[in-house]
Amino acid sequence: MRSLLALALLPALTLSMFTFAAPPAEALADPATTSTTTPATAASIAGSTVSGLLGSLASAEPSTAAYDRAYFTHWIDADGDGCNTRQEVLIAESLTPVVMIDRCTVVSGQWYSWFDGETWTAPSDVDIDHFVPLSEAWKSGADLWSTEQRRAFANDLGFDLSLEAVTDNVNQSKGDRDPASWLPPLADATCRYASAWVQVKSRWNLAVDAAERTALEGILAGDCGSQPAAVTVNDGAPDAPATVARFGGADRYVVAAGIAAQYAPEVPVVYIAKGSDYPDALSAAPAAAVAGGPLLLTRPESIPAPVLAELKRLKPAKIVVVGGESAVLPQVFTALQSLAPSVVRIGGPDRYAVSRAVVDYAFGASGATRVYVATGATFPDALSASAAAGARGGAVLLVRGTAPSLDSSTLAFIRGLAPTDGVIVGGPSAVSTGIEASVAGLGLPGGSFRLGGTDRFDTSRAINREAFAGAESVFLATGLNFPDALAGAALAGRQGAPLYVVRGTCVSTQVVGDIRALAPSRLVILGGTSALSPAVESLTPCAVAPPKPPVVAPPVVQPPVTPPTLSNPGDTKNCTDFATWRAAQDWFNLYYPKYGDVAGLDRDGDRIACESNRGAP
């Protein structure tokens, strides 16, 4: 019954809305940019560990806004069946069929309180615990919610962990405290409690404070935090409208021209790179950002019409062509000379030489605040780094990532840039540990470190988490292809905005959490709907199937040994007697330690009862 009420309780949710507010020197009207209002949808997320989920939660100091319990309307009858939320939980979590009077007043049942290992038969001995207390939710972000969202939180029957039947005086001792100051009296319940706390906070997009995070990290260290977590996210996102800007078009050249249209005429410089490959443009994007101009793409043999029109509108003081004559043919260079007073070419024998030449051209005289060292063999890592570098006056240097170390000339080149620090972008398979050691050996004032992840999307997240504490804009591009994002990286860097590479049809729950923590006023989509679907506009989280471990166990530990006075129930139960898997498992856990599987609920001997019931792992 609990799951049937979920739809009645969840409010319509929308992504935060915004309007463009560009830097003073940049124009914003652009026919290639579309703005839409889209709802953010709740989605089931699987495959994350509890520790990973904790890492995705935003950090924030508790709100000081005045709290009143009346702000959270609770114990409602959402579906009109006569049973309010408290009665629904009592019915669902009873280990035996409940006895009711009137229309829906539960007068007896059997409830196991896993906080303290006690079993009760009278409803008066049981409280329904808001797992994350209402006051704690208020301080963690619910102070910004609508009345409807607080009502949904207080009556959340759609997620079994949100509301728990527990011993009344234990619930009263908990009060509104978080895990930094209160844990269940039953020591064996600590891991289960911390796991559930993180999942409920993630479901409702609530923040954690510093002490709370430290306490949870301590509990979840090791095997406890490696448990799989399955939650519904973003049900509690502030209910505000959202405008999404999308740069799309018939091809990569139209997209690049549309992005460049965000700049006012008479820009100081325009960088030009071929659009059929990515290496030249990756180092050019932060160079363009620091110089205050856009990056445009061209065909090797001719200037596409949209790009030519945009160059005429921009009237740049200088055009920098990136790549040798085989990348951008001489006739294109000649045509560009009629469009700017100065046109220069930066080339080299390979992509690594071109990268060094671009960085030297843009930063050689003034120096770079930071150097990002990325592989030139693929594009995603350097793409995210390009926007981050552009935002902070840094450079992206492409290297042969599999090399055992950096050669002496590259090391001398980095030293000449005089960066404060160096960042290795990507994991050791992308940029070797030998190269990492080479950069560390430079002895830069701020040292060096690596930003990597399990894949290109995780690396993108790591880059942006380190570089940005907040942002007015957030850019999203597909991590599966490069053209749309090349020009976008220059604009993102110019506007001090992160660029995340994401999957084409969804956004990971961790990135969704990071974006909301950044609190941007605008979301910019790079590419058409074939590259990034409308689901990305609404930050729809990705549903990833969790790996199946050899032995599946619920995120619980066994309750204490059954008291000697507990009588043998015999073969009196079938799985169909329990409304949910959770109720069946609690009954099984109660009697198994002393009497074994007397009711035959565990068919395969793995101590997981009634695996066909709703909610089974």
Side-chain angles (χ1 to χ4, degrees):
M1 188 178 297
R2 294 175 75 171
S3 62
L4 295 176
L5 295 178
L7 293 177
L9 290 169
L10 294 178
L13 303 173
T14 54
L15 187 67
S16 295
M17 205 158 190
F18 53 79
T19 56
F20 267 111
E26 297 173 7
L28 294 174
D30 176 29
T33 305
T34 59
S35 296
T36 58
T37 300
T38 55
T41 56
S44 179
I45 304 301
S48 176
T49 64
V50 177
S51 288
L53 210 58
L54 174 60
S56 74
L57 297 181
S59 294
E61 290 303 308
S63 169
T64 57
Y67 163 74
D68 191 318
R69 188 175 175 84
Y71 295 154
F72 292 81
T73 304
H74 53 286
W75 302 165
I76 63 172
D77 179 9
D79 59 357
D81 68 348
C83 298
N84 67 22
T85 302
R86 172 180 164 82
Q87 305 298 326
E88 297 281 10
V89 178
L90 290 174
I91 294 167
E93 295 195 1
S94 177
L95 304 179
T96 62
V98 299
V99 176
M100 292 190 296
I101 60 174
D102 302 325
R103 187 176 178 185
C104 188
T105 301
V106 177
V107 295
S108 69
Q110 188 179 48
W111 296 276
Y112 174 71
S113 170
W114 60 269
F115 284 16
D116 57 343
E118 297 293 335
T119 301
W120 305 96
T121 58
S124 59
D125 292 322
V126 175
D127 277 356
I128 305 305
D129 176 47
H130 287 101
F131 205 91
V132 172
L134 302 182
S135 175
E136 168 66 22
W138 175 267
K139 292 182 289 187
S140 304
D143 60 324
L144 301 177
W145 293 354
S146 66
T147 300
E148 291 77 14
Q149 288 168 321
R150 289 192 286 268
R151 175 177 176 269
F153 175 84
N155 300 274
D156 185 8
L157 296 174
F159 190 48
D160 280 348
L161 302 179
S162 292
L163 299 168
E164 293 282 357
V166 301
T167 303
D168 54 359
N169 61 346
V170 172
N171 182 52
Q172 290 155 22
S173 74
K174 171 183 174 179
D176 63 356
R177 292 184 286 175
D178 67 29
S181 56
W182 190 90
L183 290 169
L186 188 63
D188 287 345
T190 299
C191 175
R192 177 178 175 181
Y193 187 84
S195 172
W197 183 275
V198 169
Q199 293 180 72
V200 174
K201 280 227 161 176
S202 177
R203 170 173 171 79
W204 289 92
N205 197 34
L206 294 170
V208 293
D209 62 40
E212 179 186 358
R213 185 181 294 278
T214 298
L216 289 167
E217 287 175 343
I219 298 169
L220 297 176
D223 292 341
C224 181
S226 65
Q227 299 170 22
V231 300
T232 301
V233 299
N234 299 326
D235 289 347
D239 189 10
T243 298
V244 177
R246 179 185 287 272
F247 291 100
D251 57 32
R252 63 195 66 185
Y253 307 106
V254 174
V255 172
I259 293 170
Q262 304 309 299
Y263 294 78
E266 300 182 358
V267 292
V269 67
V270 171
Y271 276 71
I272 296 278
K274 70 175 181 179
S276 56
D277 205 356
Y278 57 82
D280 294 345
L282 290 174
S283 293
V290 75
L295 171 66
L296 281 166
L297 306 179
T298 183
R299 293 188 181 92
E301 74 285 353
S302 63
I303 305 172
V307 175
L308 180 60
E310 186 56 29
L311 282 167
K312 291 179 178 179
R313 186 194 70 83
L314 287 168
K315 300 176 182 174
K318 180 188 294 184
I319 295 175
V320 178
V321 178
V322 182
E325 292 188 349
S326 62
V328 179
L329 297 181
Q331 63 262 33
V332 173
F333 187 86
T334 300
L336 291 171
Q337 287 179 315
S338 66
L339 299 171
S342 173
V343 180
V344 299
R345 182 191 291 273
I346 301 175
D350 59 29
R351 63 187 60 187
Y352 308 109
V354 171
S355 177
R356 287 193 298 273
V358 169
V359 172
D360 185 51
Y361 181 84
F363 300 95
S366 60
T369 59
R370 165 180 286 184
V371 60
Y372 288 85
V373 178
T375 178
T378 57
F379 69 89
D381 295 349
L383 187 63
S384 295
S386 293
R392 58 188 305 155
V396 172
L397 184 65
L398 302 185
V399 300
R400 204 178 303 274
T402 56
S405 62
L406 289 180
D407 59 84
S408 58
S409 61
T410 302
L411 289 171
F413 176 73
I414 296 175
R415 191 178 290 111
L417 290 173
T420 300
D421 56 18
V423 178
I424 309 301
V425 180
S429 62
V431 180
S432 71
T433 55
I435 291 177
E436 182 178 12
S438 295
V439 176
L442 288 169
L444 300 176
S448 63
F449 54 93
R450 183 186 291 272
L451 293 173
T454 57
D455 56 27
R456 62 189 60 189
F457 309 108
D458 201 29
T459 295
S460 178
R461 180 185 180 229
I463 292 167
N464 290 313
R465 279 174 69 91
E466 190 278 333
F468 299 95
E472 288 295 318
S473 304
V474 168
F475 286 63
L476 299 180
T478 176
L480 305 179
N481 208 350
F482 61 86
D484 294 340
L486 293 176
L491 181 61
R494 178 62 177 166
Q495 294 188 348
L499 187 156
Y500 290 90
V501 297
V502 298
R503 293 173 175 84
T505 57
C506 60
V507 182
S508 76
T509 180
Q510 292 85 0
V511 171
V512 170
D514 286 358
I515 291 174
R516 288 202 157 90
L518 290 171
S521 61
R522 55 182 178 261
L523 189 70
V524 182
I525 308 297
L526 300 175
T529 54
S530 61
L532 294 176
S533 74
V536 174
E537 295 182 8
S538 59
L539 297 183
T540 299
C542 300
V544 181
K548 190 172 182 179
V551 178
V552 179
V556 303
V557 293
Q558 292 289 347
V561 177
T562 307
T565 56
L566 191 67
S567 60
N568 190 336
D571 188 9
T572 58
K573 291 290 183 183
N574 294 313
C575 289
T576 54
D577 294 330
F578 301 96
T580 64
W581 166 79
R582 175 69 175 281
Q585 186 66 41
D586 282 347
W587 191 93
F588 178 86
N589 289 344
L590 183 64
Y591 291 103
Y592 183 87
K594 185 171 183 180
Y595 300 111
D597 186 17
V598 293
L601 303 182
D602 179 13
R603 299 288 185 182
D604 54 5
D606 63 353
R607 297 194 183 184
I608 308 298
C610 298
E611 294 181 71
S612 61
N613 279 23
R614 176 174 57 84

